[in-house]
Amino acid sequence: MTSTLIWIAAALFAIGLYLSWTAGRLDRLHARIDAARAALDAQLLRRASVAQELATSGVLDPAASIVLYEAAHAARQAEEEHREVAESELSQALRAIFGEAQQVEVVREAPGGDEAATELAAAVRRVPMARRFHNDAVRAARALRRHRKVRWFRLAGHAPFPMAFEMDDEPPTALADRATS
């Protein structure tokens, strides 16, 4: 009888230890999502800020300046539920303006334009990487949260189900080429 109780207690202890480890892993994944989201937000803000600064610098033609400024301003001011669309529109505006290498060359030839073009190229290159890191963390947390043991024992607590950040983040060809050279 005593040995049976010891085995039951050991099994319960092992199950509790496993559930505790799983809850800790889930907590670390949620922390990783938060850190990746903060990094993504910083890169998106940096890209919008550089684009807005470039739009007001006077190195672009007036029509391109207006389009780029409005898209960057909308991306910076967008509320969370509309942010993916606003950031996608900024990506589209950047591709429309900097789709050809000669436009990047015009910017580079202007006073202070070389630094602005280099900074914008770096910003548009980092956004897809930050988004990929965030979405990979979300994918891992979702996979763990779908397990029965996590749902049955409510190991996720009250944490919201993680959502991926889906946007058009393809950089303009001319700027992507500039970032690698």
Side-chain angles (χ1 to χ4, degrees):
M1 179 69 171
T2 306
S3 66
T4 305
L5 288 177
I6 291 174
W7 282 109
I8 290 173
L12 288 175
F13 179 76
I15 291 170
L17 190 64
Y18 178 71
L19 290 176
S20 175
W21 176 81
T22 303
R25 181 172 170 226
L26 190 57
D27 186 51
R28 288 188 301 276
L29 282 172
H30 281 283
R32 188 172 133 204
I33 290 171
D34 291 343
R37 182 57 188 242
L40 175 62
D41 287 342
Q43 292 305 324
L44 291 172
L45 181 62
R46 181 173 182 246
R47 181 181 75 154
S49 298
V50 171
Q52 210 168 17
E53 186 177 311
L54 186 61
T56 58
S57 68
V59 298
L60 298 173
D61 64 270
S65 291
I66 290 171
V67 169
L68 188 58
Y69 181 83
E70 287 180 355
H73 180 72
R76 288 183 72 177
Q77 301 297 320
E79 299 207 11
E80 193 59 36
E81 59 269 4
H82 303 294
R83 183 129 187 242
E84 293 171 348
V85 173
E87 295 293 347
S88 294
E89 289 173 355
L90 177 56
S91 295
Q92 292 165 2
L94 286 167
R95 278 198 309 273
I97 294 167
F98 296 105
E100 298 178 9
Q102 62 199 56
Q103 181 64 31
V104 176
E105 292 304 317
V106 169
V107 170
R108 286 184 60 221
E109 291 170 1
D114 191 38
E115 295 85 19
T118 302
E119 193 173 349
L120 185 60
V124 299
R125 187 185 71 237
R126 288 180 179 145
V127 166
M129 289 188 296
R131 188 176 76 85
R132 197 171 312 120
F133 288 140
H134 175 266
N135 288 349
D136 286 347
V138 166
R139 197 172 304 112
R142 283 179 166 188
L144 185 58
R145 286 185 68 157
R146 285 191 182 106
H147 288 211
R148 279 189 215 125
K149 66 180 174 259
V150 173
R151 290 192 319 257
W152 288 350
F153 293 102
R154 300 176 190 243
L155 298 180
H158 297 289
F161 196 74
M163 301 301 291
F165 194 85
E166 297 299 333
M167 64 172 272
D168 174 8
D169 61 1
E170 183 181 335
T173 307
L175 283 177
D177 293 344
R178 172 82 179 129
T180 58
S181 59

